[in-house]
Amino acid sequence: MRPLDLCDTYLLRLEAEHARVPSIYVMEPELIANESGLLPHVYDTGSLCVSDLGDFRPGMLFVDTVLPWTLEWLIHYEQWRATGTWYGDGPDRLDGDSQADVLHPYSPEQAPSSVRGSVRLPAPINAPSRPRRASATARSTTNARHR
């Protein structure tokens, strides 16, 4: 997928099970962490955090939900790589504390073998298993990210 003409093209893997929120992985190109080994809005498995809990329900089409949310995540990722700021949670979350809240460590050893090596990061140091939720304003602004 290529979110915009100026963006990279990404090879994604979508894993879905009946009645469960699907998982999205970036297979290529490798995602690049900041100098502290952190990426915004990823789970410790390497799956992208693209919506809030409850946003995706069984029966919803991926083309209407998870895929557009993933494209939006990729656009924000590229902006973050260029500027060091994650704009995906809305203008009320651009302060230093909010920016720190969206960053999450990831260890490639914890990823399923099918995606191992698709994210180049050092091992986490006593990290929470999930990033934190955004404010209600930010969720409505960004089509709801799940943290």
Side-chain angles (χ1 to χ4, degrees):
M1 298 182 82
R2 188 173 187 186
L4 296 171
D5 288 341
L6 298 174
C7 291
D8 286 337
T9 299
Y10 293 87
L11 175 64
L12 303 174
R13 179 183 177 119
L14 185 145
E15 293 182 1
E17 295 178 36
H18 179 68
R20 299 198 62 171
V21 176
S23 297
I24 299 280
Y25 299 92
V26 175
M27 303 304 292
E28 294 177 7
E30 288 186 15
L31 297 176
I32 300 171
N34 68 11
E35 52 283 341
S36 299
L38 303 173
L39 277 176
H41 295 298
V42 293
Y43 293 106
D44 54 1
T45 62
S47 177
L48 306 182
C49 173
V50 299
S51 66
D52 271 326
L53 291 173
D55 286 342
F56 183 84
R57 293 174 303 285
M60 293 179 134
L61 298 176
F62 297 153
V63 71
D64 293 331
T65 57
V66 177
L67 295 178
W69 297 339
T70 301
L71 290 173
E72 185 178 8
W73 188 99
L74 292 168
I75 291 167
H76 292 302
Y77 166 75
E78 290 199 12
Q79 288 177 320
W80 174 77
R81 290 290 306 149
T83 67
T85 300
W86 182 264
Y87 292 96
D89 292 326
D92 61 329
R93 305 249 318 155
L94 297 179
D95 60 281
D97 288 341
S98 294
Q99 288 294 300
D101 282 347
V102 302
L103 295 174
H104 187 66
Y106 166 76
S107 172
E109 292 76 34
Q110 296 173 344
S113 60
S114 61
V115 295
R116 199 169 290 143
S118 65
V119 180
R120 181 180 35 196
L121 300 173
I125 302 171
N126 297 328
S129 62
R130 320 176 31 142
R132 297 180 190 172
R133 293 176 58 110
S135 68
T137 303
R139 286 192 307 272
S140 64
T141 303
T142 63
N143 209 4
R145 303 229 168 276
H146 111 140
R147 285 168 261 212

